[in-house]
Amino acid sequence: QSALTQPASVSGSPGQSITISCTGTSSDVGGYNSVSWYQQHPGKAPKLMIFDVSYRPSGVSDRFSGSKSGNTASLTISGLQAADEADYYCIAFTSSITYVFGTGTKVTVL
Amino acid sequence: QFQLQESGPGLVKPSETLSLTCAVSGDSMTRDDYHWAWIRQPPGEGLEWIANIHYTGATYYNPSLKSRLTISMDPSRNQFSLNVRSVTTADTAIYYCARWKGASIDFWGQGTLVTVSS
């Protein structure tokens, strides 16, 4: 199975909004509402930010939102803050009853 | 308070078997909506899903690694384990154990670095 495609890097200024895409196929991203997003700061374990495409776990800021169109899922961070600078990964359930991660996106706050 | 704690050898020689264990505390391993998982991350690289297991015994493996993997669990000892056979330097990574709830990972261990080197 091939990794889902994410942009290597995305940047924005404080207060701006950015969107990270996660592109797969109809056998993974497009086939199920089972996409989740994770934030990872250097040297730390990942943290769940969005599950089931667009749901936020308790405690995650409402500045983070998720959506999906066709075979592409997206994570939007609004009101960008310095603390949002991190790596972000998507993961999707597949028709083979497996999971596949995205390639990861480094978010830089300018 | 729920916790996951990985333990492993730190250093493994090429061609040997890597064995990892994850100790679970603070919740039941036999809840129907939980799966237990291993994920790895080579230094400076991205995340790779390795395998999941459910308390019923159902197992799910990354197809690219499946021939070398065995995931198992022992709810009576509150732990689950991963064996990776015939390791190479490409298996050098931080290995995370995790709790899968529904279709997402809601809790991660802190990770343990495993280096494959002679």
Side-chain angles (χ1 to χ4, degrees):
Chain A
Q1 57 189 20
S2 299
L4 307 176
T5 301
Q6 297 181 231
S9 63
V10 174
S11 62
S13 300
Q16 286 187 328
S17 293
I18 61 169
T19 296
I20 304 167
S21 60
C22 170
T23 301
T25 69
S26 57
S27 296
D28 39 63
V29 174
Y32 308 91
N33 288 326
S34 299
V35 178
S36 51
W37 290 90
Y38 301 85
Q39 176 193 65
Q40 186 181 33
H41 287 109
K44 300 295 187 181
K47 173 188 175 183
L48 177 65
M49 305 303 286
I50 295 288
F51 67 96
D52 294 351
V53 174
S54 60
Y55 292 88
R56 270 187 315 275
S58 174
V60 171
S61 171
D62 60 3
R63 297 185 300 104
F64 292 84
S65 62
S67 62
K68 189 182 82 167
S69 178
N71 297 334
T72 298
S74 299
L75 174 71
T76 297
I77 309 175
S78 58
L80 198 62
Q81 299 178 359
D84 301 331
E85 189 162 289
D87 294 326
Y88 292 82
Y89 295 90
C90 60
I91 186 172
F93 179 75
T94 83
S95 59
S96 301
I97 317 182
T98 61
Y99 287 89
V100 60
F101 274 103
T103 50
T105 298
K106 182 177 181 61
V107 168
T108 301
V109 181
L110 301 172
Chain B
Q1 179 184 358
F2 182 73
Q3 288 188 320
L4 295 171
Q5 181 63 59
E6 305 91 346
S7 59
L11 180 65
V12 184
K13 289 182 168 56
S15 80
E16 293 188 342
T17 295
L18 163 62
S19 295
L20 296 165
T21 297
C22 183
V24 180
S25 59
D27 203 351
S28 168
M29 293 191 72
T30 57
R31 274 182 54 163
D32 200 56
D33 55 344
Y34 289 162
H35 283 75
W36 305 94
W38 290 97
I39 294 135
R40 71 181 183 180
Q41 185 171 36
E45 298 185 25
L47 298 167
E48 181 179 36
W49 172 72
I50 302 173
N52 280 18
I53 188 167
H54 189 254
Y55 82 94
T56 56
T59 56
Y60 309 88
Y61 293 107
N62 184 320
S64 66
L65 302 170
K66 184 176 183 177
S67 64
R68 299 193 292 125
L69 299 178
T70 302
I71 188 171
S72 60
M73 65 186 290
D74 187 347
S76 67
R77 299 179 64 189
N78 293 313
Q79 66 183 38
F80 62 105
S81 300
L82 178 74
N83 282 351
V84 184
R85 295 177 291 277
S86 304
V87 296
T88 71
T89 55
D91 294 308
T92 293
I94 297 171
Y95 284 77
Y96 294 98
C97 64
R99 184 177 74 184
W100 216 288
K101 185 175 181 181
S104 61
I105 306 161
D106 71 334
F107 203 93
W108 299 68
Q110 65 183 20
T112 186
L113 176 62
V114 176
T115 302
V116 179
S117 174
S118 56

Short mmCIF file of all heavy atoms in Angstrom, two decimals, chain A residues 1 34 36 38 40 43-48 50-52 89 91 93 97-103, chain B residues 39 41 45-49 52 60-64 96 100 102-106 108-111:
data_model
loop_
_atom_site.label_atom_id
_atom_site.label_comp_id
_atom_site.label_asym_id
_atom_site.label_seq_id
_atom_site.Cartn_x
_atom_site.Cartn_y
_atom_site.Cartn_z
N GLN A 1 0.84 -1.19 0.00
CA GLN A 1 0.00 0.00 0.00
C GLN A 1 0.88 1.24 0.00
O GLN A 1 1.89 1.30 0.69
CB GLN A 1 -0.93 -0.02 1.21
CG GLN A 1 -0.25 -0.12 2.56
CD GLN A 1 -1.25 -0.35 3.69
OE1 GLN A 1 -2.36 -0.80 3.48
NE2 GLN A 1 -0.85 -0.05 4.91
N SER A 34 -13.11 7.51 7.66
CA SER A 34 -12.20 7.05 8.71
C SER A 34 -10.82 7.66 8.54
O SER A 34 -9.81 6.96 8.54
CB SER A 34 -12.11 5.51 8.69
OG SER A 34 -13.37 4.94 8.92
N SER A 36 -8.13 10.35 10.13
CA SER A 36 -7.79 11.09 11.33
C SER A 36 -6.47 11.84 11.12
O SER A 36 -5.70 11.51 10.21
CB SER A 36 -7.71 10.18 12.55
OG SER A 36 -6.88 9.06 12.34
N TYR A 38 -3.03 13.86 13.08
CA TYR A 38 -2.18 13.87 14.26
C TYR A 38 -1.15 14.99 14.17
O TYR A 38 -0.62 15.25 13.09
CB TYR A 38 -1.47 12.52 14.42
CG TYR A 38 -2.48 11.40 14.54
CD1 TYR A 38 -3.02 10.83 13.40
CD2 TYR A 38 -2.94 10.99 15.78
CE1 TYR A 38 -4.00 9.86 13.49
CE2 TYR A 38 -3.92 10.02 15.88
CZ TYR A 38 -4.45 9.46 14.73
OH TYR A 38 -5.43 8.50 14.82
N GLN A 40 2.50 16.29 15.71
CA GLN A 40 3.68 15.77 16.39
C GLN A 40 4.74 16.87 16.53
O GLN A 40 5.28 17.35 15.54
CB GLN A 40 4.27 14.57 15.64
CG GLN A 40 5.42 13.91 16.40
CD GLN A 40 6.03 12.73 15.67
OE1 GLN A 40 6.10 12.71 14.44
NE2 GLN A 40 6.47 11.73 16.43
N GLY A 43 10.46 15.27 19.07
CA GLY A 43 10.77 14.46 20.24
C GLY A 43 9.57 13.98 21.03
O GLY A 43 9.75 13.36 22.08
N LYS A 44 8.38 14.24 20.53
CA LYS A 44 7.16 13.86 21.25
C LYS A 44 6.35 12.84 20.46
O LYS A 44 6.50 12.70 19.25
CB LYS A 44 6.28 15.09 21.50
CG LYS A 44 6.95 16.17 22.32
CD LYS A 44 7.24 15.72 23.74
CE LYS A 44 7.74 16.87 24.59
NZ LYS A 44 8.06 16.44 25.97
N ALA A 45 5.47 12.13 21.18
CA ALA A 45 4.54 11.23 20.51
C ALA A 45 3.46 12.06 19.81
O ALA A 45 3.14 13.17 20.24
CB ALA A 45 3.90 10.28 21.52
N PRO A 46 2.91 11.53 18.73
CA PRO A 46 1.82 12.23 18.06
C PRO A 46 0.60 12.41 18.97
O PRO A 46 0.42 11.66 19.92
CB PRO A 46 1.49 11.32 16.87
CG PRO A 46 2.75 10.54 16.63
CD PRO A 46 3.31 10.31 18.00
N LYS A 47 -0.23 13.39 18.61
CA LYS A 47 -1.45 13.69 19.36
C LYS A 47 -2.62 13.76 18.39
O LYS A 47 -2.52 14.39 17.33
CB LYS A 47 -1.31 15.04 20.07
CG LYS A 47 -2.58 15.53 20.75
CD LYS A 47 -2.41 16.96 21.26
CE LYS A 47 -3.71 17.51 21.84
NZ LYS A 47 -3.58 18.92 22.27
N LEU A 48 -3.71 13.11 18.74
CA LEU A 48 -4.91 13.11 17.90
C LEU A 48 -5.54 14.49 17.88
O LEU A 48 -5.84 15.06 18.93
CB LEU A 48 -5.90 12.07 18.42
CG LEU A 48 -7.24 11.97 17.70
CD1 LEU A 48 -7.08 11.51 16.26
CD2 LEU A 48 -8.18 11.03 18.46
N ILE A 50 -7.97 15.33 14.95
CA ILE A 50 -9.25 15.16 14.26
C ILE A 50 -9.47 13.66 14.03
O ILE A 50 -8.53 12.96 13.64
CB ILE A 50 -9.26 15.88 12.89
CG1 ILE A 50 -9.15 17.40 13.07
CG2 ILE A 50 -10.51 15.50 12.08
CD1 ILE A 50 -10.41 18.08 13.62
N PHE A 51 -10.68 13.17 14.27
CA PHE A 51 -11.00 11.79 13.94
C PHE A 51 -12.27 11.73 13.09
O PHE A 51 -13.07 12.68 13.09
CB PHE A 51 -11.13 10.93 15.20
CG PHE A 51 -12.31 11.26 16.08
CD1 PHE A 51 -13.50 10.57 15.99
CD2 PHE A 51 -12.20 12.28 17.03
CE1 PHE A 51 -14.58 10.88 16.81
CE2 PHE A 51 -13.28 12.59 17.85
CZ PHE A 51 -14.46 11.89 17.74
N ASP A 52 -12.41 10.62 12.39
CA ASP A 52 -13.58 10.42 11.52
C ASP A 52 -13.85 11.64 10.64
O ASP A 52 -14.98 12.13 10.56
CB ASP A 52 -14.82 10.08 12.36
CG ASP A 52 -14.70 8.74 13.07
OD1 ASP A 52 -13.73 8.01 12.76
OD2 ASP A 52 -15.55 8.42 13.91
N TYR A 89 0.25 14.56 10.42
CA TYR A 89 0.07 13.34 9.65
C TYR A 89 -1.41 12.97 9.57
O TYR A 89 -2.13 13.08 10.57
CB TYR A 89 0.81 12.16 10.29
CG TYR A 89 2.30 12.30 10.32
CD1 TYR A 89 2.95 12.91 11.39
CD2 TYR A 89 3.09 11.82 9.27
CE1 TYR A 89 4.34 13.03 11.43
CE2 TYR A 89 4.47 11.94 9.29
CZ TYR A 89 5.08 12.55 10.37
OH TYR A 89 6.45 12.68 10.39
N ILE A 91 -4.06 9.69 8.55
CA ILE A 91 -4.09 8.24 8.42
C ILE A 91 -5.50 7.85 8.01
O ILE A 91 -6.48 8.49 8.42
CB ILE A 91 -3.66 7.52 9.71
CG1 ILE A 91 -3.56 6.00 9.47
CG2 ILE A 91 -4.58 7.85 10.86
CD1 ILE A 91 -2.97 5.24 10.64
N PHE A 93 -8.25 4.44 6.96
CA PHE A 93 -8.59 3.03 6.88
C PHE A 93 -8.67 2.65 5.41
O PHE A 93 -9.06 3.46 4.57
CB PHE A 93 -9.93 2.80 7.56
CG PHE A 93 -10.43 1.39 7.53
CD1 PHE A 93 -9.88 0.43 8.34
CD2 PHE A 93 -11.47 1.03 6.67
CE1 PHE A 93 -10.35 -0.87 8.33
CE2 PHE A 93 -11.94 -0.27 6.64
CZ PHE A 93 -11.38 -1.22 7.47
N ILE A 97 -8.62 -3.65 4.94
CA ILE A 97 -8.70 -3.72 6.40
C ILE A 97 -7.32 -3.50 6.99
O ILE A 97 -6.82 -4.25 7.84
CB ILE A 97 -9.34 -5.04 6.90
CG1 ILE A 97 -10.55 -5.41 6.06
CG2 ILE A 97 -9.76 -4.89 8.37
CD1 ILE A 97 -11.27 -6.65 6.50
N THR A 98 -6.67 -2.47 6.48
CA THR A 98 -5.39 -2.02 7.00
C THR A 98 -5.47 -0.50 7.15
O THR A 98 -6.52 0.09 6.88
CB THR A 98 -4.24 -2.37 6.04
OG1 THR A 98 -4.47 -1.72 4.78
CG2 THR A 98 -4.14 -3.88 5.81
N TYR A 99 -4.39 0.09 7.60
CA TYR A 99 -4.33 1.54 7.72
C TYR A 99 -3.09 2.04 6.98
O TYR A 99 -2.08 1.33 6.87
CB TYR A 99 -4.25 1.95 9.19
CG TYR A 99 -5.56 1.77 9.93
CD1 TYR A 99 -5.87 0.57 10.54
CD2 TYR A 99 -6.50 2.81 9.99
CE1 TYR A 99 -7.08 0.39 11.21
CE2 TYR A 99 -7.70 2.65 10.65
CZ TYR A 99 -7.98 1.45 11.26
OH TYR A 99 -9.19 1.28 11.92
N VAL A 100 -3.18 3.27 6.49
CA VAL A 100 -2.03 3.86 5.82
C VAL A 100 -1.90 5.31 6.26
O VAL A 100 -2.89 6.06 6.31
CB VAL A 100 -2.14 3.73 4.28
CG1 VAL A 100 -3.39 4.42 3.75
CG2 VAL A 100 -0.89 4.23 3.60
N PHE A 101 -0.66 5.70 6.60
CA PHE A 101 -0.37 7.07 7.00
C PHE A 101 -0.08 7.93 5.78
O PHE A 101 0.31 7.43 4.71
CB PHE A 101 0.86 7.12 7.91
CG PHE A 101 0.56 6.89 9.36
CD1 PHE A 101 0.83 5.66 9.94
CD2 PHE A 101 0.05 7.91 10.15
CE1 PHE A 101 0.57 5.43 11.29
CE2 PHE A 101 -0.21 7.69 11.50
CZ PHE A 101 0.05 6.45 12.07
N GLY A 102 -0.24 9.23 5.97
CA GLY A 102 0.24 10.18 4.99
C GLY A 102 1.73 10.40 5.13
O GLY A 102 2.35 9.97 6.11
N THR A 103 2.30 11.09 4.17
CA THR A 103 3.74 11.32 4.14
C THR A 103 4.21 12.35 5.14
O THR A 103 5.40 12.45 5.43
CB THR A 103 4.17 11.76 2.73
OG1 THR A 103 3.31 12.84 2.30
CG2 THR A 103 4.06 10.60 1.75
N ILE B 39 3.15 1.21 15.90
CA ILE B 39 3.46 2.17 14.85
C ILE B 39 4.94 2.51 15.02
O ILE B 39 5.44 2.54 16.14
CB ILE B 39 2.60 3.43 15.01
CG1 ILE B 39 1.13 3.08 14.76
CG2 ILE B 39 3.04 4.54 14.05
CD1 ILE B 39 0.18 3.67 15.75
N GLN B 41 8.52 4.91 13.55
CA GLN B 41 8.98 6.13 12.89
C GLN B 41 10.51 6.11 12.80
O GLN B 41 11.19 6.34 13.80
CB GLN B 41 8.51 7.37 13.66
CG GLN B 41 8.83 8.68 12.99
CD GLN B 41 8.15 9.84 13.69
OE1 GLN B 41 7.99 9.87 14.91
NE2 GLN B 41 7.72 10.84 12.90
N GLU B 45 12.04 10.58 9.84
CA GLU B 45 11.09 10.22 8.79
C GLU B 45 9.66 10.20 9.32
O GLU B 45 9.39 10.61 10.45
CB GLU B 45 11.48 8.86 8.19
CG GLU B 45 12.86 8.87 7.53
CD GLU B 45 13.16 7.55 6.84
OE1 GLU B 45 12.21 6.83 6.46
OE2 GLU B 45 14.37 7.24 6.69
N GLY B 46 8.75 9.72 8.48
CA GLY B 46 7.34 9.72 8.82
C GLY B 46 6.90 8.48 9.58
O GLY B 46 7.69 7.58 9.87
N LEU B 47 5.61 8.47 9.90
CA LEU B 47 5.01 7.38 10.67
C LEU B 47 4.61 6.23 9.75
O LEU B 47 4.20 6.44 8.61
CB LEU B 47 3.77 7.89 11.41
CG LEU B 47 4.01 8.99 12.43
CD1 LEU B 47 2.68 9.63 12.85
CD2 LEU B 47 4.74 8.44 13.65
N GLU B 48 4.74 5.02 10.27
CA GLU B 48 4.35 3.82 9.52
C GLU B 48 3.52 2.92 10.43
O GLU B 48 3.99 2.51 11.50
CB GLU B 48 5.56 3.07 9.00
CG GLU B 48 5.21 1.82 8.20
CD GLU B 48 6.42 1.10 7.66
OE1 GLU B 48 7.46 1.06 8.34
OE2 GLU B 48 6.33 0.55 6.54
N TRP B 49 2.29 2.60 10.02
CA TRP B 49 1.46 1.67 10.76
C TRP B 49 2.02 0.26 10.59
O TRP B 49 2.35 -0.16 9.47
CB TRP B 49 0.02 1.73 10.25
CG TRP B 49 -0.86 0.68 10.84
CD1 TRP B 49 -1.34 0.62 12.11
CD2 TRP B 49 -1.34 -0.48 10.17
NE1 TRP B 49 -2.10 -0.52 12.28
CE2 TRP B 49 -2.12 -1.20 11.11
CE3 TRP B 49 -1.21 -0.99 8.88
CZ2 TRP B 49 -2.76 -2.39 10.79
CZ3 TRP B 49 -1.85 -2.17 8.55
CH2 TRP B 49 -2.61 -2.86 9.50
N ASN B 52 -2.28 -4.12 14.18
CA ASN B 52 -3.30 -3.97 15.21
C ASN B 52 -3.73 -5.33 15.69
O ASN B 52 -3.68 -6.32 14.94
CB ASN B 52 -4.55 -3.28 14.63
CG ASN B 52 -4.43 -1.78 14.53
OD1 ASN B 52 -3.33 -1.25 14.57
ND2 ASN B 52 -5.56 -1.12 14.36
N TYR B 60 -4.30 -7.58 12.35
CA TYR B 60 -4.24 -6.86 11.09
C TYR B 60 -2.81 -6.38 10.93
O TYR B 60 -2.25 -5.79 11.84
CB TYR B 60 -5.21 -5.67 11.10
CG TYR B 60 -6.60 -6.06 11.52
CD1 TYR B 60 -6.96 -6.05 12.87
CD2 TYR B 60 -7.55 -6.47 10.59
CE1 TYR B 60 -8.23 -6.44 13.28
CE2 TYR B 60 -8.82 -6.84 10.99
CZ TYR B 60 -9.15 -6.83 12.33
OH TYR B 60 -10.41 -7.22 12.73
N TYR B 61 -2.23 -6.64 9.75
CA TYR B 61 -0.83 -6.34 9.53
C TYR B 61 -0.62 -5.46 8.31
O TYR B 61 -1.34 -5.56 7.31
CB TYR B 61 -0.04 -7.63 9.32
CG TYR B 61 0.06 -8.53 10.53
CD1 TYR B 61 -0.67 -9.71 10.61
CD2 TYR B 61 0.90 -8.20 11.59
CE1 TYR B 61 -0.58 -10.55 11.71
CE2 TYR B 61 1.01 -9.03 12.70
CZ TYR B 61 0.27 -10.21 12.75
OH TYR B 61 0.37 -11.03 13.85
N ASN B 62 0.43 -4.62 8.38
CA ASN B 62 0.88 -3.88 7.21
C ASN B 62 1.35 -4.90 6.17
O ASN B 62 2.24 -5.70 6.47
CB ASN B 62 2.02 -2.94 7.60
CG ASN B 62 2.49 -2.06 6.47
OD1 ASN B 62 2.60 -2.49 5.33
ND2 ASN B 62 2.79 -0.81 6.79
N PRO B 63 0.77 -4.87 4.97
CA PRO B 63 1.13 -5.89 3.97
C PRO B 63 2.63 -5.94 3.65
O PRO B 63 3.17 -7.01 3.37
CB PRO B 63 0.33 -5.46 2.74
CG PRO B 63 -0.79 -4.63 3.26
CD PRO B 63 -0.26 -3.95 4.49
N SER B 64 3.29 -4.80 3.70
CA SER B 64 4.71 -4.77 3.34
C SER B 64 5.60 -5.39 4.41
O SER B 64 6.78 -5.67 4.17
CB SER B 64 5.15 -3.33 3.08
OG SER B 64 5.09 -2.57 4.26
N TYR B 96 6.27 2.92 18.62
CA TYR B 96 5.21 3.37 19.51
C TYR B 96 4.16 2.28 19.66
O TYR B 96 3.74 1.68 18.66
CB TYR B 96 4.50 4.60 18.96
CG TYR B 96 5.32 5.86 18.85
CD1 TYR B 96 5.90 6.24 17.64
CD2 TYR B 96 5.49 6.70 19.95
CE1 TYR B 96 6.63 7.42 17.53
CE2 TYR B 96 6.22 7.88 19.86
CZ TYR B 96 6.79 8.23 18.64
OH TYR B 96 7.51 9.40 18.55
N TRP B 100 -6.12 2.07 19.86
CA TRP B 100 -6.96 2.43 18.73
C TRP B 100 -8.41 2.35 19.19
O TRP B 100 -8.87 1.31 19.63
CB TRP B 100 -6.74 1.44 17.60
CG TRP B 100 -6.80 2.03 16.24
CD1 TRP B 100 -7.91 2.48 15.60
CD2 TRP B 100 -5.70 2.22 15.34
NE1 TRP B 100 -7.56 2.94 14.36
CE2 TRP B 100 -6.22 2.79 14.17
CE3 TRP B 100 -4.34 1.96 15.40
CZ2 TRP B 100 -5.42 3.12 13.08
CZ3 TRP B 100 -3.55 2.28 14.32
CH2 TRP B 100 -4.09 2.85 13.18
N GLY B 102 -12.20 2.98 17.76
CA GLY B 102 -12.85 3.22 16.48
C GLY B 102 -11.81 3.17 15.38
O GLY B 102 -11.06 2.19 15.28
N ALA B 103 -11.75 4.23 14.58
CA ALA B 103 -10.80 4.25 13.47
C ALA B 103 -9.67 5.24 13.70
O ALA B 103 -9.04 5.69 12.74
CB ALA B 103 -11.53 4.58 12.17
N SER B 104 -9.41 5.60 14.95
CA SER B 104 -8.33 6.53 15.21
C SER B 104 -7.57 6.13 16.46
O SER B 104 -8.05 5.37 17.29
CB SER B 104 -8.86 7.96 15.35
OG SER B 104 -9.77 8.05 16.43
N ILE B 105 -6.35 6.65 16.57
CA ILE B 105 -5.47 6.35 17.69
C ILE B 105 -5.66 7.43 18.74
O ILE B 105 -5.25 8.56 18.54
CB ILE B 105 -4.00 6.32 17.23
CG1 ILE B 105 -3.83 5.37 16.05
CG2 ILE B 105 -3.09 5.93 18.38
CD1 ILE B 105 -2.58 5.61 15.24
N ASP B 106 -6.30 7.06 19.85
CA ASP B 106 -6.60 8.09 20.83
C ASP B 106 -5.55 8.21 21.92
O ASP B 106 -5.59 9.16 22.71
CB ASP B 106 -8.00 7.90 21.42
CG ASP B 106 -8.09 6.70 22.35
OD1 ASP B 106 -7.30 5.74 22.19
OD2 ASP B 106 -8.97 6.71 23.23
N TRP B 108 -1.20 7.32 22.69
CA TRP B 108 0.10 6.80 22.26
C TRP B 108 1.01 6.60 23.45
O TRP B 108 0.97 7.37 24.42
CB TRP B 108 0.78 7.79 21.33
CG TRP B 108 0.07 8.11 20.07
CD1 TRP B 108 -1.11 8.80 19.93
CD2 TRP B 108 0.50 7.80 18.74
NE1 TRP B 108 -1.44 8.92 18.60
CE2 TRP B 108 -0.46 8.32 17.85
CE3 TRP B 108 1.61 7.14 18.21
CZ2 TRP B 108 -0.35 8.19 16.46
CZ3 TRP B 108 1.73 7.02 16.83
CH2 TRP B 108 0.75 7.53 15.97
N GLY B 109 1.88 5.59 23.38
CA GLY B 109 2.97 5.49 24.33
C GLY B 109 4.02 6.53 24.00
O GLY B 109 3.92 7.24 22.99
N GLN B 110 5.05 6.63 24.82
CA GLN B 110 6.09 7.64 24.61
C GLN B 110 7.07 7.22 23.53
O GLN B 110 7.82 8.06 23.01
CB GLN B 110 6.83 7.91 25.91
CG GLN B 110 7.62 6.72 26.43
CD GLN B 110 8.30 7.01 27.76
OE1 GLN B 110 7.91 7.93 28.48
NE2 GLN B 110 9.30 6.21 28.11
N GLY B 111 7.08 5.93 23.17
CA GLY B 111 7.97 5.44 22.12
C GLY B 111 9.27 4.92 22.68
O GLY B 111 9.76 5.40 23.70
#
